Amino acid sequence: MTDNKPPTAEALTNGGEAHAVPTSTAQQYDLLPKLIPNLDRHLIFPLLEFLSGLEGDESAEVTKAKYELLKQTNMTDYVASLWQEINDSDEMPEEFVKKREEVLQRLSLFTEETSQIDELLNDESVVSNLRSDKVANLKFLEQQHGVTIQMVDMLYDYGRFQYSCGSYANSAHLLDQFRILSTDNDKASSASWGKLAADILTTNWEVVMEEVNKVKESIDTKLFNNPLAQLDHRTWLIHWTLFPFFNYEPARDTITEVLFSPSFINTIQTNCPWILRYLAAAVITSRSRTRNTGAYQKQLKDLVRVVRQEGYEYNDPVTEFVKALYVDFDFEAAQKKLEEAEEVLKGDFFLSASADAFVEAARHLISESYCKIHQRIDIRDLSARLGLSHDEGEKWIVNLIRDTRMDGKLDYQQGTVLMNHPANSVYQQVIERTKGSFFRTSVLR
């Protein structure tokens, strides 16, 4: 119990590994100082682990940061080992020995005091009599089994204690039991956040997504009359969802839709514009999966709009790549920003595993845009824009035409590609421009 430690970076990332030497570009656009204030201390630890991997051998600064981060927790043995490393000592100070004994005593006391209610909530015959009305449930348990409010609150305290000890699975179980019975809305909300953090740290992604929906619903309903609290809680939820966002593939589309919803995109623009890096990476890497759907096209348009609006507030090579390609139509700048974006992504805890997929998808987007506005394309020129050799560029373009079903012909002798761009008729242009007018008119009414 006392020798627990938070999970490592490798345990929480989907195959992402820290690169040995951080580049100056990655360091310049490091988001860690912006992410830390919006994360729980246990969720911050894997980010520090990733940072130590970037720097090769763990630096003294990172070790001190870990110590300061966890010294208030109940993971006394691990905290003591950090202290010994910082002070180059083999002796464990008395304060850690004393705290370890206190933790074990409290653990024994909590176990004894919650044993009755824990047994009841694991008894199928008792659980089957519980209803959605928490007041009625408490009355039933009090009359039939002698359960009191103090016993229910003890589950909450024990869940927090287990979380502080790094026993996240036990913590999630206890906090869930507490939510079933508690009529204290503030504590129930706190328990939901605690369970969400515990599930993230155990990488139980399916349950994490269920908890994300519960927290989101609570923010939308219970904080309806407190806009500032809603803003703060949505900001926290956005940052916490980054863990399943890039580590659990089924969550990618769901979270992207949530972040593009009006309330959350407004939160991003108001409170945390740096999240646009992750939103851009998610949209671009999903190109091969959903590029022909209306939802993807709408998300791409919304992304371009927000990146353009927030350029004065926040920018990095990822958002600048989007701006160069879709706002300025500057293909040389897009290629330059893509090279920088690759370095930034490889140095980002959440995006390191997606760096190669991002570069691949971004090259496709550059090629598609370039082919759409040019009728005759020099293969050597396009290859240079994509950072590829002539032969690689030739294969790339052939695959692009085949995959996207563009109307193009490859001239091997001239080293060019001829694109056929049939012009839309006047009637079709009128239809396209007026397609949404009826809907907008009906809304105004």
Side-chain angles (χ1 to χ4, degrees):
M1 174 65 66
T2 57
D3 59 351
N4 286 342
K5 62 174 286 190
T8 62
E10 289 77 9
L12 279 179
T13 53
N14 187 21
E17 295 182 357
H19 291 248
V21 181
T23 64
S24 58
T25 302
Q27 291 174 333
Q28 179 183 352
Y29 294 101
D30 180 24
L31 290 181
L32 190 59
K34 297 182 182 296
L35 298 176
I36 284 178
N38 297 289
L39 295 174
D40 176 82
R41 66 176 67 241
H42 293 254
L43 296 177
I44 295 169
F45 183 84
L47 277 67
L48 293 181
E49 282 275 279
F50 181 82
L51 180 61
S52 66
L54 282 175
E55 297 177 353
D57 293 334
E58 184 169 317
S59 66
E61 289 76 11
V62 174
T63 304
K64 289 179 181 178
K66 289 181 180 180
Y67 175 76
E68 292 297 327
L69 185 71
L70 299 177
K71 70 178 182 180
Q72 301 299 326
T73 70
N74 290 328
M75 293 179 279
T76 52
D77 289 355
Y78 180 64
V79 173
S81 69
L82 291 174
W83 184 93
Q84 290 174 320
E85 185 178 347
I86 293 170
N87 294 277
D88 193 22
S89 172
D90 294 330
E91 298 294 327
M92 182 182 295
E94 184 64 28
E95 62 181 288
F96 292 109
V97 177
K98 183 179 178 181
K99 185 174 181 179
R100 186 178 191 276
E101 293 175 355
E102 292 175 353
V103 169
L104 292 175
Q105 289 175 0
R106 290 188 64 194
L107 175 64
S108 178
L109 183 63
F110 272 125
T111 303
E112 181 181 344
E113 291 184 347
T114 60
S115 59
Q116 179 186 349
I117 191 170
D118 186 50
E119 290 175 5
L120 288 173
L121 292 176
N122 286 312
D123 188 335
E124 191 63 34
S125 62
V126 175
V127 174
S128 61
N129 287 312
L130 299 180
R131 301 292 180 263
S132 58
D133 187 341
K134 293 184 178 181
V135 175
N137 289 338
L138 282 174
K139 188 174 181 181
F140 162 74
L141 291 172
E142 182 179 2
Q143 293 176 346
Q144 299 296 323
H145 303 284
V147 173
T148 64
I149 292 292
Q150 290 73 23
M151 294 170 67
V152 175
D153 287 341
M154 190 64 68
L155 288 173
Y156 175 78
D157 294 335
Y158 190 20
R160 292 186 62 189
F161 179 82
Q162 289 277 18
Y163 184 81
S164 181
C165 291
S167 185
Y168 303 117
N170 291 336
S171 174
H173 173 71
L174 289 163
L175 293 174
D176 191 39
Q177 286 184 327
F178 170 78
R179 289 190 308 181
I180 294 173
L181 299 176
S182 177
T183 56
D184 187 326
N185 290 331
D186 290 338
K187 279 191 174 182
S189 175
S190 176
S192 293
W193 282 99
K195 187 175 186 306
L196 173 57
D199 288 328
I200 289 173
L201 291 162
T202 55
T203 64
N204 194 354
W205 300 125
E206 290 185 13
V207 178
V208 166
M209 290 309 299
E210 294 175 5
E211 292 301 321
V212 166
N213 290 330
K214 289 178 182 178
V215 172
K216 177 180 177 296
E217 182 180 354
S218 175
I219 294 172
D220 292 341
T221 55
K222 295 180 181 178
L223 296 177
F224 181 77
N225 294 322
N226 192 341
L228 182 58
Q230 274 191 327
L231 180 66
D232 289 338
H233 282 69
R234 285 190 180 123
T235 302
W236 298 336
L237 183 59
I238 288 169
H239 286 80
W240 290 31
T241 55
L242 293 177
F243 288 92
F245 201 4
F246 295 99
N247 292 298
Y248 182 54
E249 191 64 29
R252 185 74 61 88
D253 293 339
T254 302
I255 296 178
T256 302
E257 289 177 10
V258 170
L259 297 185
F260 271 116
S261 64
S263 57
F264 278 84
I265 199 69
N266 288 340
T267 300
I268 291 172
Q269 291 182 269
T270 304
N271 243 19
C272 48
W274 51 87
I275 296 296
L276 289 175
R277 171 190 295 184
Y278 303 102
L279 201 52
V283 172
I284 290 173
T285 54
S286 66
R287 183 207 70 87
S288 59
R289 187 172 65 250
T290 58
R291 73 172 184 273
N292 292 323
T293 66
Y296 174 76
Q297 295 300 327
K298 183 179 184 304
Q299 288 176 356
L300 186 58
K301 288 181 180 178
D302 288 343
L303 175 66
V304 173
R305 172 180 58 81
V306 177
V307 166
R308 184 180 347 183
Q309 289 176 348
E310 298 303 315
Y312 73 97
E313 185 71 26
Y314 175 79
N315 60 77
D316 64 27
V318 178
T319 61
E320 288 177 341
F321 167 78
V322 175
K323 180 177 180 292
L325 186 59
Y326 290 107
V327 178
D328 301 331
F329 299 101
D330 186 336
F331 296 101
E332 291 183 3
Q335 173 56 33
K336 180 180 178 182
K337 292 303 176 183
L338 178 57
E339 294 174 359
E340 295 178 2
E342 183 178 8
E343 296 179 17
V344 169
L345 266 59
K346 287 180 177 178
D348 189 296
F349 170 81
F350 296 104
L351 297 174
S352 60
S354 303
D356 292 340
F358 178 89
V359 172
E360 184 79 7
R363 282 175 174 166
H364 273 90
L365 292 176
I366 292 174
S367 304
E368 288 179 11
S369 298
Y370 194 82
C371 291
K372 284 179 181 178
I373 64 175
H374 291 83
Q375 188 169 8
R376 181 185 293 271
I377 300 166
D378 185 277
I379 295 176
R380 193 178 300 278
D381 178 60
L382 182 56
S383 299
R385 294 180 187 278
L386 296 175
L388 301 172
S389 67
H390 183 273
D391 291 341
E392 290 174 334
E394 191 173 280
K395 293 177 182 177
W396 178 275
I397 294 171
V398 170
N399 291 332
L400 176 69
I401 293 174
R402 182 189 63 210
D403 295 341
T404 59
R405 298 181 181 178
M406 290 183 177
D407 188 0
K409 293 182 180 180
L410 191 64
D411 187 336
Y412 287 100
Q413 292 184 344
Q414 297 293 326
T416 60
V417 178
L418 297 176
M419 304 300 300
N420 181 25
H421 300 300
N424 287 338
S425 67
V426 175
Y427 304 104
Q428 186 63 35
Q429 292 181 38
V430 172
I431 291 173
E432 290 295 328
R433 289 180 178 276
T434 59
K435 187 180 292 184
S437 60
F438 175 77
F439 172 75
R440 289 193 292 271
T441 303
S442 63
V443 170
L444 290 174
R445 291 176 182 173

